[in-house]
Amino acid sequence: MSAYVISEVEVLDEELADTYRTLAEASIRRYDGRYIVRGAVPQAVEGTWPSTQRVVVVEFPDADRAKEWYESSEYAEALEVREAALERRLLLVEGVSE
């Protein structure tokens, strides 16, 4: 069953954020992930959404693969950059079985 990593992101440093994106994308691909949504500004149909925040959704084949990615040495390098580049909330959810 597919799993999704959903990130609510606020960029703190655009140059560092570009570095993070490059490192993160390479690591995501190594773990069979693919971007579904990348850096989108959502339209708030209900409630409010800060105009400075973006949404990223990455699909993985399953939750185990998503966890492997997050805990990988490849992604660890991106995480070091992320601390100064972005403020975010990161969620892991499983899709529904068909």
Side-chain angles (χ1 to χ4, degrees):
M1 173 181 343
S2 293
Y4 301 88
V5 173
I6 303 168
S7 186
E8 298 173 6
V9 179
E10 183 171 351
V11 174
L12 303 175
D13 181 310
E14 194 62 53
E15 188 175 319
L16 287 175
D18 285 342
T19 300
Y20 167 79
R21 285 183 203 108
T22 300
L23 294 169
E25 181 175 11
S27 68
I28 286 167
R29 288 177 193 255
R30 284 188 175 161
Y31 288 84
D32 306 316
R34 69 181 186 105
Y35 287 95
I36 303 295
V37 177
R38 188 169 190 184
V41 178
Q43 181 181 21
V45 178
E46 292 186 18
T48 60
W49 185 267
S51 62
T52 58
Q53 286 193 341
R54 306 291 183 261
V55 174
V56 177
V57 180
V58 178
E59 180 183 45
F60 287 90
D62 55 48
D64 288 339
R65 197 67 171 149
K67 290 175 190 174
E68 286 177 35
W69 160 75
Y70 185 78
E71 296 168 355
S72 72
S73 59
E74 295 92 350
Y75 188 58
E77 185 179 357
L79 278 177
E80 288 180 23
V81 175
R82 198 249 351 126
E83 291 180 10
L86 311 168
E87 181 69 37
R88 73 161 179 206
R89 179 171 30 191
L90 191 72
L91 308 166
L92 171 61
V93 297
E94 291 189 68
V96 296
S97 58
E98 295 184 39

